[in-house]
């Protein structure tokens, strides 16, 4: 037994040390490592650890120790769009629309209601754009987290009770149908460990507006618009631009970067 760089429990066998990250991801990785372990010599130790877990994604780091020298590199982000989030047929979309009473035109956010997600400035930006586009609504999916009261108070203060819809928690089987009806996706949080919702929205062909922060630029690259999360007016300007953006062809390479198959290939290349 050993301690991984993340501080989680780790186990050693066949010259390999791996962290106790659990779940299908861990089982899948370990099956690869165990098959490759026979290639190691006595002076090589390999460590895999999960340093952060956000929703269904985990950053894994690989450390190779050879002749007393450490070489640690960020290996991959293990993520896959769920099969039950494939494009829905019109009948399913209409069912979701009726059940959640969705408007014909809306922008969407998906995240827990908490300060770091920056709902206050996104709502303020929406207040501005609703003057330009009176038929546009703002749908927010996500359960209550902490210090969420200000979010509801801001909606009341701005007179947007009829324009902003809070759906609370939405099960996986319905979330795809909500994504598919949105005119745009907005995710201007202050900080993220990874930020999966923008990637999910993009995978469904929805224009995405993100915070101009390093992690989201790394994830989305040129496939999103970016706004200063500290400036509601910048969010408003970029939101206007977003809503005039035609749905672009999806960059499948971007999504493939987060597939289990490519993650496995990246691991095996290290040996």
């Amino acid at each position: 037994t050993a301690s991984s760089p993340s501080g989680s429990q780790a186990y050693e066998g066949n010259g390999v040390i791996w962290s106790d990250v659990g779940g299908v991801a861990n089982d899948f990785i370990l099956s690869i490592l165990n098959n490759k372990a026979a290639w190691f010599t006595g002076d090589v130790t390999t460590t895999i650890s999960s340093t952060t877990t956000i929703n269904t994604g985990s950053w894994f780091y690989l450390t190779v120790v050879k002749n007393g020298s450490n070489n640690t590199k960020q290996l991959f982000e293990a993520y896959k769009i769920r099969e039950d989030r494939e494009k829905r047929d019109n009948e399913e979309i209409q069912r979701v629309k009726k059940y959640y009473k969705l408007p014909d035109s809306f922008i969407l956010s998906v995240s827990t209601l908490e300060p770091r997600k920056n709902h206050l400035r996104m709502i303020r930006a929406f207040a501005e754009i609703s003057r330009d586009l009176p038929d546009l609504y703002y749908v927010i999916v996500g359960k209550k987290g902490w210090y969420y009261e200000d979010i509801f108070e801001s909606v009341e203060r701005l007179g947007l009770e009829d324009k902003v819809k809070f759906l609370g928690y939405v099960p996986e089987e319905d979330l795809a149908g909500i994504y598919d009806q949105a005119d745009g996706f907005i995710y201007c949080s202050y900080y993220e460990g990874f930020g999966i919702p923008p990637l999910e929205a993009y995978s469904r062909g929805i224009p995405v507006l993100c915070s101009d922060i390093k992690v989201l630029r790394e994830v989305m690259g040129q496939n999103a618009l970016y706004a200063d999360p500290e400036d509601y007016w910048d969010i408003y300007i970029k939101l206007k631009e977003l809503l005039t953006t035609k749905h672009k062809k999806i960059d499948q390479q971007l999504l493939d970067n987060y597939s289990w198959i490519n993650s496995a290939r990246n691991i095996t290349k290290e040996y």
Side-chain angles (χ1 to χ4, degrees), residues 32-48:
I32 298 171
L33 290 177
N34 286 331
N35 288 334
K36 300 297 291 187
W39 295 12
F40 298 164
T41 61
D43 62 349
V44 177
T45 303
T46 304
T47 303
I48 259 198

mmCIF file with all atom_site columns, all heavy atoms in Angstrom, residues 32-48:
data_model
loop_
_atom_site.group_PDB
_atom_site.id
_atom_site.type_symbol
_atom_site.label_atom_id
_atom_site.label_alt_id
_atom_site.label_comp_id
_atom_site.label_asym_id
_atom_site.label_entity_id
_atom_site.label_seq_id
_atom_site.pdbx_PDB_ins_code
_atom_site.Cartn_x
_atom_site.Cartn_y
_atom_site.Cartn_z
_atom_site.occupancy
_atom_site.B_iso_or_equiv
_atom_site.pdbx_formal_charge
_atom_site.auth_seq_id
_atom_site.auth_comp_id
_atom_site.auth_asym_id
_atom_site.auth_atom_id
_atom_site.pdbx_PDB_model_num
ATOM 1   N N   . ILE A 1 32 ? -5.896 -2.525 -18.154 1.00 0.00 ? 32 ILE A N   1
ATOM 2   C CA  . ILE A 1 32 ? -4.822 -2.197 -19.090 1.00 0.00 ? 32 ILE A CA  1
ATOM 3   C C   . ILE A 1 32 ? -3.475 -2.279 -18.388 1.00 0.00 ? 32 ILE A C   1
ATOM 4   O O   . ILE A 1 32 ? -2.522 -2.882 -18.886 1.00 0.00 ? 32 ILE A O   1
ATOM 5   C CB  . ILE A 1 32 ? -5.020 -0.778 -19.658 1.00 0.00 ? 32 ILE A CB  1
ATOM 6   C CG1 . ILE A 1 32 ? -6.334 -0.713 -20.443 1.00 0.00 ? 32 ILE A CG1 1
ATOM 7   C CG2 . ILE A 1 32 ? -3.859 -0.385 -20.556 1.00 0.00 ? 32 ILE A CG2 1
ATOM 8   C CD1 . ILE A 1 32 ? -6.712 0.695  -20.837 1.00 0.00 ? 32 ILE A CD1 1
ATOM 9   N N   . LEU A 1 33 ? -3.395 -1.673 -17.214 1.00 0.00 ? 33 LEU A N   1
ATOM 10  C CA  . LEU A 1 33 ? -2.131 -1.644 -16.490 1.00 0.00 ? 33 LEU A CA  1
ATOM 11  C C   . LEU A 1 33 ? -1.633 -3.035 -16.145 1.00 0.00 ? 33 LEU A C   1
ATOM 12  O O   . LEU A 1 33 ? -0.449 -3.337 -16.251 1.00 0.00 ? 33 LEU A O   1
ATOM 13  C CB  . LEU A 1 33 ? -2.281 -0.815 -15.216 1.00 0.00 ? 33 LEU A CB  1
ATOM 14  C CG  . LEU A 1 33 ? -2.460 0.694  -15.431 1.00 0.00 ? 33 LEU A CG  1
ATOM 15  C CD1 . LEU A 1 33 ? -2.670 1.379  -14.094 1.00 0.00 ? 33 LEU A CD1 1
ATOM 16  C CD2 . LEU A 1 33 ? -1.263 1.288  -16.142 1.00 0.00 ? 33 LEU A CD2 1
ATOM 17  N N   . ASN A 1 34 ? -2.551 -3.890 -15.724 1.00 0.00 ? 34 ASN A N   1
ATOM 18  C CA  . ASN A 1 34 ? -2.137 -5.238 -15.351 1.00 0.00 ? 34 ASN A CA  1
ATOM 19  C C   . ASN A 1 34 ? -1.585 -6.007 -16.541 1.00 0.00 ? 34 ASN A C   1
ATOM 20  O O   . ASN A 1 34 ? -0.663 -6.799 -16.426 1.00 0.00 ? 34 ASN A O   1
ATOM 21  C CB  . ASN A 1 34 ? -3.298 -5.991 -14.722 1.00 0.00 ? 34 ASN A CB  1
ATOM 22  C CG  . ASN A 1 34 ? -3.595 -5.514 -13.308 1.00 0.00 ? 34 ASN A CG  1
ATOM 23  O OD1 . ASN A 1 34 ? -2.695 -5.061 -12.619 1.00 0.00 ? 34 ASN A OD1 1
ATOM 24  N ND2 . ASN A 1 34 ? -4.838 -5.601 -12.894 1.00 0.00 ? 34 ASN A ND2 1
ATOM 25  N N   . ASN A 1 35 ? -2.163 -5.750 -17.714 1.00 0.00 ? 35 ASN A N   1
ATOM 26  C CA  . ASN A 1 35 ? -1.662 -6.412 -18.917 1.00 0.00 ? 35 ASN A CA  1
ATOM 27  C C   . ASN A 1 35 ? -0.296 -5.879 -19.330 1.00 0.00 ? 35 ASN A C   1
ATOM 28  O O   . ASN A 1 35 ? 0.519  -6.597 -19.900 1.00 0.00 ? 35 ASN A O   1
ATOM 29  C CB  . ASN A 1 35 ? -2.651 -6.207 -20.078 1.00 0.00 ? 35 ASN A CB  1
ATOM 30  C CG  . ASN A 1 35 ? -3.912 -7.024 -19.897 1.00 0.00 ? 35 ASN A CG  1
ATOM 31  O OD1 . ASN A 1 35 ? -3.882 -8.057 -19.238 1.00 0.00 ? 35 ASN A OD1 1
ATOM 32  N ND2 . ASN A 1 35 ? -5.018 -6.561 -20.461 1.00 0.00 ? 35 ASN A ND2 1
ATOM 33  N N   . LYS A 1 36 ? -0.039 -4.602 -19.035 1.00 0.00 ? 36 LYS A N   1
ATOM 34  C CA  . LYS A 1 36 ? 1.226  -4.000 -19.433 1.00 0.00 ? 36 LYS A CA  1
ATOM 35  C C   . LYS A 1 36 ? 2.316  -4.217 -18.379 1.00 0.00 ? 36 LYS A C   1
ATOM 36  O O   . LYS A 1 36 ? 3.485  -4.008 -18.654 1.00 0.00 ? 36 LYS A O   1
ATOM 37  C CB  . LYS A 1 36 ? 1.049  -2.490 -19.647 1.00 0.00 ? 36 LYS A CB  1
ATOM 38  C CG  . LYS A 1 36 ? 0.026  -2.131 -20.724 1.00 0.00 ? 36 LYS A CG  1
ATOM 39  C CD  . LYS A 1 36 ? 0.417  -2.631 -22.090 1.00 0.00 ? 36 LYS A CD  1
ATOM 40  C CE  . LYS A 1 36 ? 1.612  -1.896 -22.631 1.00 0.00 ? 36 LYS A CE  1
ATOM 41  N NZ  . LYS A 1 36 ? 1.923  -2.238 -24.015 1.00 0.00 ? 36 LYS A NZ  1
ATOM 42  N N   . ALA A 1 37 ? 1.920  -4.585 -17.166 1.00 0.00 ? 37 ALA A N   1
ATOM 43  C CA  . ALA A 1 37 ? 2.876  -4.649 -16.063 1.00 0.00 ? 37 ALA A CA  1
ATOM 44  C C   . ALA A 1 37 ? 4.021  -5.608 -16.337 1.00 0.00 ? 37 ALA A C   1
ATOM 45  O O   . ALA A 1 37 ? 5.130  -5.419 -15.863 1.00 0.00 ? 37 ALA A O   1
ATOM 46  C CB  . ALA A 1 37 ? 2.161  -5.050 -14.777 1.00 0.00 ? 37 ALA A CB  1
ATOM 47  N N   . ALA A 1 38 ? 3.746  -6.658 -17.100 1.00 0.00 ? 38 ALA A N   1
ATOM 48  C CA  . ALA A 1 38 ? 4.773  -7.664 -17.375 1.00 0.00 ? 38 ALA A CA  1
ATOM 49  C C   . ALA A 1 38 ? 5.942  -7.068 -18.158 1.00 0.00 ? 38 ALA A C   1
ATOM 50  O O   . ALA A 1 38 ? 7.022  -7.649 -18.196 1.00 0.00 ? 38 ALA A O   1
ATOM 51  C CB  . ALA A 1 38 ? 4.162  -8.821 -18.149 1.00 0.00 ? 38 ALA A CB  1
ATOM 52  N N   . TRP A 1 39 ? 5.736  -5.883 -18.760 1.00 0.00 ? 39 TRP A N   1
ATOM 53  C CA  . TRP A 1 39 ? 6.787  -5.271 -19.555 1.00 0.00 ? 39 TRP A CA  1
ATOM 54  C C   . TRP A 1 39 ? 7.789  -4.516 -18.684 1.00 0.00 ? 39 TRP A C   1
ATOM 55  O O   . TRP A 1 39 ? 8.834  -4.098 -19.143 1.00 0.00 ? 39 TRP A O   1
ATOM 56  C CB  . TRP A 1 39 ? 6.172  -4.278 -20.550 1.00 0.00 ? 39 TRP A CB  1
ATOM 57  C CG  . TRP A 1 39 ? 5.306  -4.928 -21.576 1.00 0.00 ? 39 TRP A CG  1
ATOM 58  C CD1 . TRP A 1 39 ? 4.834  -6.209 -21.582 1.00 0.00 ? 39 TRP A CD1 1
ATOM 59  C CD2 . TRP A 1 39 ? 4.821  -4.307 -22.762 1.00 0.00 ? 39 TRP A CD2 1
ATOM 60  N NE1 . TRP A 1 39 ? 4.058  -6.423 -22.688 1.00 0.00 ? 39 TRP A NE1 1
ATOM 61  C CE2 . TRP A 1 39 ? 4.024  -5.274 -23.431 1.00 0.00 ? 39 TRP A CE2 1
ATOM 62  C CE3 . TRP A 1 39 ? 4.949  -3.045 -23.319 1.00 0.00 ? 39 TRP A CE3 1
ATOM 63  C CZ2 . TRP A 1 39 ? 3.383  -5.009 -24.616 1.00 0.00 ? 39 TRP A CZ2 1
ATOM 64  C CZ3 . TRP A 1 39 ? 4.307  -2.776 -24.504 1.00 0.00 ? 39 TRP A CZ3 1
ATOM 65  C CH2 . TRP A 1 39 ? 3.546  -3.756 -25.142 1.00 0.00 ? 39 TRP A CH2 1
ATOM 66  N N   . PHE A 1 40 ? 7.430  -4.277 -17.416 1.00 0.00 ? 40 PHE A N   1
ATOM 67  C CA  . PHE A 1 40 ? 8.281  -3.464 -16.562 1.00 0.00 ? 40 PHE A CA  1
ATOM 68  C C   . PHE A 1 40 ? 9.522  -4.217 -16.108 1.00 0.00 ? 40 PHE A C   1
ATOM 69  O O   . PHE A 1 40 ? 9.520  -5.427 -15.964 1.00 0.00 ? 40 PHE A O   1
ATOM 70  C CB  . PHE A 1 40 ? 7.520  -3.015 -15.305 1.00 0.00 ? 40 PHE A CB  1
ATOM 71  C CG  . PHE A 1 40 ? 6.331  -2.154 -15.600 1.00 0.00 ? 40 PHE A CG  1
ATOM 72  C CD1 . PHE A 1 40 ? 5.366  -1.959 -14.620 1.00 0.00 ? 40 PHE A CD1 1
ATOM 73  C CD2 . PHE A 1 40 ? 6.161  -1.538 -16.826 1.00 0.00 ? 40 PHE A CD2 1
ATOM 74  C CE1 . PHE A 1 40 ? 4.267  -1.171 -14.880 1.00 0.00 ? 40 PHE A CE1 1
ATOM 75  C CE2 . PHE A 1 40 ? 5.067  -0.750 -17.085 1.00 0.00 ? 40 PHE A CE2 1
ATOM 76  C CZ  . PHE A 1 40 ? 4.112  -0.568 -16.109 1.00 0.00 ? 40 PHE A CZ  1
ATOM 77  N N   . THR A 1 41 ? 10.578 -3.477 -15.845 1.00 0.00 ? 41 THR A N   1
ATOM 78  C CA  . THR A 1 41 ? 11.768 -4.052 -15.224 1.00 0.00 ? 41 THR A CA  1
ATOM 79  C C   . THR A 1 41 ? 11.806 -3.633 -13.768 1.00 0.00 ? 41 THR A C   1
ATOM 80  O O   . THR A 1 41 ? 11.000 -2.823 -13.325 1.00 0.00 ? 41 THR A O   1
ATOM 81  C CB  . THR A 1 41 ? 13.037 -3.547 -15.948 1.00 0.00 ? 41 THR A CB  1
ATOM 82  O OG1 . THR A 1 41 ? 13.107 -2.133 -15.821 1.00 0.00 ? 41 THR A OG1 1
ATOM 83  C CG2 . THR A 1 41 ? 13.016 -3.962 -17.398 1.00 0.00 ? 41 THR A CG2 1
ATOM 84  N N   . GLY A 1 42 ? 12.732 -4.156 -13.010 1.00 0.00 ? 42 GLY A N   1
ATOM 85  C CA  . GLY A 1 42 ? 12.764 -3.909 -11.577 1.00 0.00 ? 42 GLY A CA  1
ATOM 86  C C   . GLY A 1 42 ? 12.984 -2.466 -11.196 1.00 0.00 ? 42 GLY A C   1
ATOM 87  O O   . GLY A 1 42 ? 12.661 -2.068 -10.075 1.00 0.00 ? 42 GLY A O   1
ATOM 88  N N   . ASP A 1 43 ? 13.558 -1.651 -12.092 1.00 0.00 ? 43 ASP A N   1
ATOM 89  C CA  . ASP A 1 43 ? 13.852 -0.275 -11.708 1.00 0.00 ? 43 ASP A CA  1
ATOM 90  C C   . ASP A 1 43 ? 12.817 0.723  -12.209 1.00 0.00 ? 43 ASP A C   1
ATOM 91  O O   . ASP A 1 43 ? 13.048 1.919  -12.259 1.00 0.00 ? 43 ASP A O   1
ATOM 92  C CB  . ASP A 1 43 ? 15.231 0.139  -12.237 1.00 0.00 ? 43 ASP A CB  1
ATOM 93  C CG  . ASP A 1 43 ? 15.296 0.088  -13.759 1.00 0.00 ? 43 ASP A CG  1
ATOM 94  O OD1 . ASP A 1 43 ? 14.356 -0.452 -14.357 1.00 0.00 ? 43 ASP A OD1 1
ATOM 95  O OD2 . ASP A 1 43 ? 16.284 0.593  -14.324 1.00 0.00 ? 43 ASP A OD2 1
ATOM 96  N N   . VAL A 1 44 ? 11.655 0.206  -12.637 1.00 0.00 ? 44 VAL A N   1
ATOM 97  C CA  . VAL A 1 44 ? 10.604 1.096  -13.132 1.00 0.00 ? 44 VAL A CA  1
ATOM 98  C C   . VAL A 1 44 ? 9.356  0.916  -12.281 1.00 0.00 ? 44 VAL A C   1
ATOM 99  O O   . VAL A 1 44 ? 8.889  -0.194 -12.077 1.00 0.00 ? 44 VAL A O   1
ATOM 100 C CB  . VAL A 1 44 ? 10.257 0.790  -14.608 1.00 0.00 ? 44 VAL A CB  1
ATOM 101 C CG1 . VAL A 1 44 ? 9.113  1.685  -15.066 1.00 0.00 ? 44 VAL A CG1 1
ATOM 102 C CG2 . VAL A 1 44 ? 11.474 0.995  -15.490 1.00 0.00 ? 44 VAL A CG2 1
ATOM 103 N N   . THR A 1 45 ? 8.815  2.019  -11.785 1.00 0.00 ? 45 THR A N   1
ATOM 104 C CA  . THR A 1 45 ? 7.554  2.007  -11.056 1.00 0.00 ? 45 THR A CA  1
ATOM 105 C C   . THR A 1 45 ? 6.616  2.995  -11.728 1.00 0.00 ? 45 THR A C   1
ATOM 106 O O   . THR A 1 45 ? 7.023  4.095  -12.077 1.00 0.00 ? 45 THR A O   1
ATOM 107 C CB  . THR A 1 45 ? 7.754  2.422  -9.581  1.00 0.00 ? 45 THR A CB  1
ATOM 108 O OG1 . THR A 1 45 ? 8.689  1.555  -8.981  1.00 0.00 ? 45 THR A OG1 1
ATOM 109 C CG2 . THR A 1 45 ? 6.435  2.346  -8.818  1.00 0.00 ? 45 THR A CG2 1
ATOM 110 N N   . THR A 1 46 ? 5.379  2.613  -11.917 1.00 0.00 ? 46 THR A N   1
ATOM 111 C CA  . THR A 1 46 ? 4.399  3.487  -12.552 1.00 0.00 ? 46 THR A CA  1
ATOM 112 C C   . THR A 1 46 ? 3.258  3.771  -11.591 1.00 0.00 ? 46 THR A C   1
ATOM 113 O O   . THR A 1 46 ? 2.726  2.857  -10.977 1.00 0.00 ? 46 THR A O   1
ATOM 114 C CB  . THR A 1 46 ? 3.832  2.849  -13.833 1.00 0.00 ? 46 THR A CB  1
ATOM 115 O OG1 . THR A 1 46 ? 4.918  2.547  -14.697 1.00 0.00 ? 46 THR A OG1 1
ATOM 116 C CG2 . THR A 1 46 ? 2.863  3.791  -14.531 1.00 0.00 ? 46 THR A CG2 1
ATOM 117 N N   . THR A 1 47 ? 2.897  5.027  -11.479 1.00 0.00 ? 47 THR A N   1
ATOM 118 C CA  . THR A 1 47 ? 1.814  5.425  -10.580 1.00 0.00 ? 47 THR A CA  1
ATOM 119 C C   . THR A 1 47 ? 0.735  6.144  -11.371 1.00 0.00 ? 47 THR A C   1
ATOM 120 O O   . THR A 1 47 ? 1.034  7.019  -12.171 1.00 0.00 ? 47 THR A O   1
ATOM 121 C CB  . THR A 1 47 ? 2.321  6.388  -9.487  1.00 0.00 ? 47 THR A CB  1
ATOM 122 O OG1 . THR A 1 47 ? 3.359  5.762  -8.776  1.00 0.00 ? 47 THR A OG1 1
ATOM 123 C CG2 . THR A 1 47 ? 1.198  6.769  -8.528  1.00 0.00 ? 47 THR A CG2 1
ATOM 124 N N   . ILE A 1 48 ? -0.494 5.750  -11.147 1.00 0.00 ? 48 ILE A N   1
ATOM 125 C CA  . ILE A 1 48 ? -1.625 6.493  -11.723 1.00 0.00 ? 48 ILE A CA  1
ATOM 126 C C   . ILE A 1 48 ? -2.433 7.051  -10.568 1.00 0.00 ? 48 ILE A C   1
ATOM 127 O O   . ILE A 1 48 ? -2.683 6.368  -9.589  1.00 0.00 ? 48 ILE A O   1
ATOM 128 C CB  . ILE A 1 48 ? -2.487 5.595  -12.620 1.00 0.00 ? 48 ILE A CB  1
ATOM 129 C CG1 . ILE A 1 48 ? -2.130 5.855  -14.082 1.00 0.00 ? 48 ILE A CG1 1
ATOM 130 C CG2 . ILE A 1 48 ? -3.939 5.792  -12.387 1.00 0.00 ? 48 ILE A CG2 1
ATOM 131 C CD1 . ILE A 1 48 ? -3.132 5.391  -15.061 1.00 0.00 ? 48 ILE A CD1 1
#
